[in-house]
Every structure is written in structure tokens, then in C-alpha cells.
Amino acid sequence: MTEEGTGTESLLQAAMEMARKAGEAHMRHFRSAGLQTEAKFNESDVVTVADKEAERIIISGIRSRFPAHFILSEESGASHTGSRIRWIIDPLDGTTNFSQGLPLFSVSIAIEIDGEDAVGVVYAPRLDEMFCAVKGSGAFLNGERISCSSKTTLDKAVAATGFPVDKDSNPDNNLDNVARIMPRLRGLRRLGSAALDLCYVAAGFLDGYWEMNLHEWDVAAGRLIAREAGAAYGLWRNGDDRGICALAATPGIYRSLADLLE
Ligand code: IPD
Ligand code: CA
Ligand code: CA
């Protein structure tokens, strides 16, 4: 047990419950007439009422059950307490897909204990796919254990990537990596939810995924799920102005992808 009532199993159950409620909020607005998108950094970075409603549901759930816990959430930032337990939340990952009526979007909830990934939950409500992991206990999709693929060569691999929101103004926008890597792969996809990309590597639906300029809330749950499913996860660039540059892949192709990324 970490603190009274907060063993990883009860934290996992609480996170899954909150993810389902957040997903219900997504679905109340999905494809609804008159759904507005609001620009944040620019027109490629958007938020909707569903992001905000889902965030309120998750934060009030944490506040009522675990009032001392630290929370980092995309739309409302960070709360400060001295807790050893931190919740990292993306209330709606894939808002561009969501706002277009495309079904690939999710809610991502991670729990860190003493700075280490302990619990990860990613739920895609339209697809009804619940991915979860507890450190050391494997990864699951709707209750069934999942594992990454066993591919060993790029020519048989299908990977996904994504592009930074300032792709229009910053030439360091991943197009050079795409030009180098895409011809070597069986296929390249841009699915539009980083959390689901990582879970799809975990389940072997993708063999690899990389992206630059990500935030903790995009990757915290998915990287634990990927690692618990046997995938390799790491940073392909470090310490520059491009935020988290994440690479997840089945171990047989991780090095080949890492060597091609700049
Ligand atoms: C975005 C999605 C997208 C990725 C972006 C993220 P949001 O998150 O994960 O796939 O390409 O980098 O910012 O804004 O929809 O939560
Ligand atoms: Ca996100
Ligand atoms: Ca988001």
C-alpha cells in the first residue's frame, strides 16, 4: 500500500471509473451539431467543451476521493501539494479528430508514485477500448492481456507518427524524418491521438510510433502500457526545445527507427 486506500489496484479501479465517465462526456458532444472548437496556440491546437467537461469530471473525482494528491492536467495545469502521488491527465487526446467527427480519440490518465509510472489508463469511448497497466503486472485491453508485435524488420512494419502544432512556422517539424523513414516501412499512419498510438504499439496493432513536441499528459499512461506489453519506449532527442520526443516500438525494430530519427 502507498497510503491508506491508495494501493495501485484501487488507484487503477478509480482511474478506469473516471476514464469511463470522461468518455461518457466525450460521447455527449461527439458529432453534435454546433460543437465549437476554440484555438489555443494556433488553429492546429484546439479545445472543445468536451475537453473541459471531461477534465472537470476527472478532477472532481480525484478531489473527492484523494484530496491530497497532486494533479497535472492539460487544460487546467498543475496543483501543488506535497503528495508522493501525482495524477497526469489528458482529458481528451485527439481533439482534432473529435472535432471532425473521427472516432480515434481517448482520455488518458496516469498515476505516478514517487516520480515513477505506476498506473496507466487510456480509454477510447467511441471504440469502447479500455487499455490499462499497473507497473510490473502486464498490460490489458478490455481485460485481455496484450503484447507488442514480434516484427524485426522495417519493411514489414507499420508505424505511426504525428506533427507539432507549430509545423507551419518551425521547419523542425518531423517532415525530414517522414521522408527518411516512410519509404522503408510497409506503411506509415497519422492516427491523431498520441495516447492511442502508444497503446496500439502495446497491442501489436502498430509496430512503432514516434513524435516530437509531446507533453507528459500525452505519453504518461501510454508509455507504461507500451512497456508493460513488452515494447521499448524512449526519447529519440533530449534536452532541446522540442519537448518530449517519444519513440515506442516493438524491440526488434526500435534501434532501426532510433537510428533514422533526427
Ligand atoms: C494531440 C494528439 C495528437 C498529437 C499532438 C497532441 P490533443 O493531443 O495526441 O495525436 O499529434 O501532438 O498534442 O491536443 O488532442 O490532446
Ligand atoms: Ca494530447
Ligand atoms: Ca488534450
Side-chain angles (χ1 to χ4, degrees):
M1 294 289 271
T2 48
E3 279 170 24
E4 196 160 3
T6 56
T8 48
E9 199 42 50
S10 50
L11 289 170
L12 171 69
Q13 293 309 321
M16 287 201 295
E17 218 173 280
M18 292 176 209
R20 279 197 195 281
K21 287 195 178 138
E24 285 164 15
H26 297 171
M27 293 311 296
R28 282 195 286 278
H29 298 284
F30 185 56
R31 295 183 183 167
S32 69
L35 177 74
Q36 308 273 330
T37 57
E38 200 185 304
K40 295 198 291 182
F41 176 76
N42 62 18
E43 289 296 344
S44 299
D45 184 22
V46 289
V47 65
T48 71
V49 63
D51 302 63
K52 294 177 186 171
E53 207 172 299
E55 184 172 73
R56 274 197 300 276
I57 289 166
I58 299 165
I59 291 181
S60 71
I62 299 168
R63 288 270 163 269
S64 66
R65 294 167 74 165
F66 311 105
H69 291 183
F70 180 73
I71 298 173
L72 171 66
S73 188
E74 180 177 8
E75 309 305 337
S76 62
S79 69
H80 295 277
T81 69
S83 176
R84 296 168 52 213
I85 301 182
R86 180 165 81 136
W87 295 66
I88 304 168
I89 301 154
D90 191 334
L92 204 175
D93 185 54
T95 304
T96 301
N97 281 350
F98 179 85
S99 69
Q100 293 288 123
L102 294 167
L104 283 164
F105 56 88
S106 59
V107 45
S108 173
I109 303 179
I111 304 171
E112 268 180 9
I113 301 177
D114 293 329
E116 303 252 321
D117 296 337
V119 172
V121 168
V122 174
Y123 179 55
R126 175 65 188 208
L127 308 170
D128 194 23
E129 291 182 336
M130 175 71 81
F131 293 89
C132 71
V134 168
K135 190 166 188 196
S137 303
F140 297 83
L141 164 55
N142 292 345
E144 303 278 326
R145 190 180 277 269
I146 50 173
S147 50
C148 67
S149 80
S150 53
K151 303 273 180 72
T152 53
T153 57
L154 292 182
D155 61 349
K156 293 191 172 61
V158 176
T161 190
F163 300 96
V165 290
D166 60 357
K167 61 195 179 323
D168 57 334
S169 56
N170 188 338
D172 183 17
N173 61 9
N174 194 34
L175 282 179
D176 55 343
N177 291 316
V178 169
R180 211 176 301 113
I181 297 171
M182 186 272 279
R184 315 260 311 248
L185 296 167
R186 176 175 286 167
L188 181 67
R189 301 288 182 266
R190 199 288 192 240
L191 301 184
S193 164
L196 277 182
D197 286 312
L198 290 165
C199 291
Y200 287 173
V201 172
F205 305 155
L206 290 171
D207 306 301
Y209 159 69
W210 81 90
E211 190 165 344
M212 68 200 317
N213 213 32
L214 293 166
H215 298 89
E216 272 297 306
W217 48 76
D218 297 312
V219 297
R223 76 182 164 214
L224 178 68
I225 293 167
R227 281 178 168 146
E228 286 296 322
Y233 173 93
L235 303 178
W236 50 276
R237 245 159 76 170
N238 229 335
D240 64 12
D241 62 346
R242 290 320 245 161
I244 297 174
C245 297
L247 170 62
T250 192
I253 66 160
Y254 184 89
R255 190 44 32 221
S256 310
L257 284 174
D259 288 346
L260 288 165
L261 286 166
E262 280 173 15

